[in-house]
Amino acid sequence: MSLALDKAQEADAVKVTQINLVIGDLSGVVAECVQFYFDHISKDTAADGASLVFTNKPTQVRCHKCDSIFTPKDSDWSCPECHEMGMDIISGRECYMESIEVE
Ligand SMILES: [Zn+2]
């Protein structure tokens, strides 16, 4: 989050109005917690009062056996094509700042 503030200062922004974040389902990041933390650290900075917009990124995995890519359901992590249980997680763990909007 301090990265967002650095970026805003680099851009010589007068005010950060919005910060767009991408949060993967598996990242363990809770939007409410980020918001709370952000409100705390952004006080009296260029980003004070900026709104956070969260984009949820679904989990995607690739089957070891047949290479099909799918989003596993809550408890069922077997491949819908071949029912193999071995797979690599290819997305869902990320948590990053996509962009910021300034005034
Ligand atoms: Zn498969």
Side-chain angles (χ1 to χ4, degrees):
M1 204 53 63
S2 56
L3 190 74
L5 299 178
D6 286 350
K7 232 179 186 172
Q9 271 158 7
E10 258 172 47
D12 237 355
V14 179
K15 192 162 175 28
V16 177
T17 53
Q18 188 174 309
I19 299 174
N20 301 311
L21 299 156
V22 175
I23 296 178
D25 275 350
L26 292 177
S27 68
V29 174
V30 180
E32 287 78 23
C33 295
V34 177
Q35 180 78 62
F36 181 80
Y37 177 65
F38 176 77
D39 287 346
H40 185 71
I41 64 158
S42 66
K43 236 180 172 43
D44 302 322
T45 70
D48 194 358
S51 51
L52 299 183
V53 177
F54 299 96
T55 302
N56 193 258
K57 194 151 196 197
T59 307
Q60 279 198 313
V61 296
R62 183 192 289 114
C63 174
H64 279 170
K65 199 169 170 187
C66 71
D67 275 346
S68 61
I69 291 170
F70 60 98
T71 297
K73 295 184 187 72
D74 292 335
S75 55
D76 181 14
W77 279 61
S78 61
C79 173
E81 299 297 325
C82 69
H83 306 292
E84 173 78 13
M85 285 299 291
M87 59 203 66
D88 291 319
I89 294 166
I90 55 173
S91 83
R93 276 183 172 147
E94 53 273 87
C95 173
Y96 60 92
M97 187 177 63
E98 193 174 49
S99 59
I100 60 172
E101 284 166 35
V102 296
E103 228 168 48

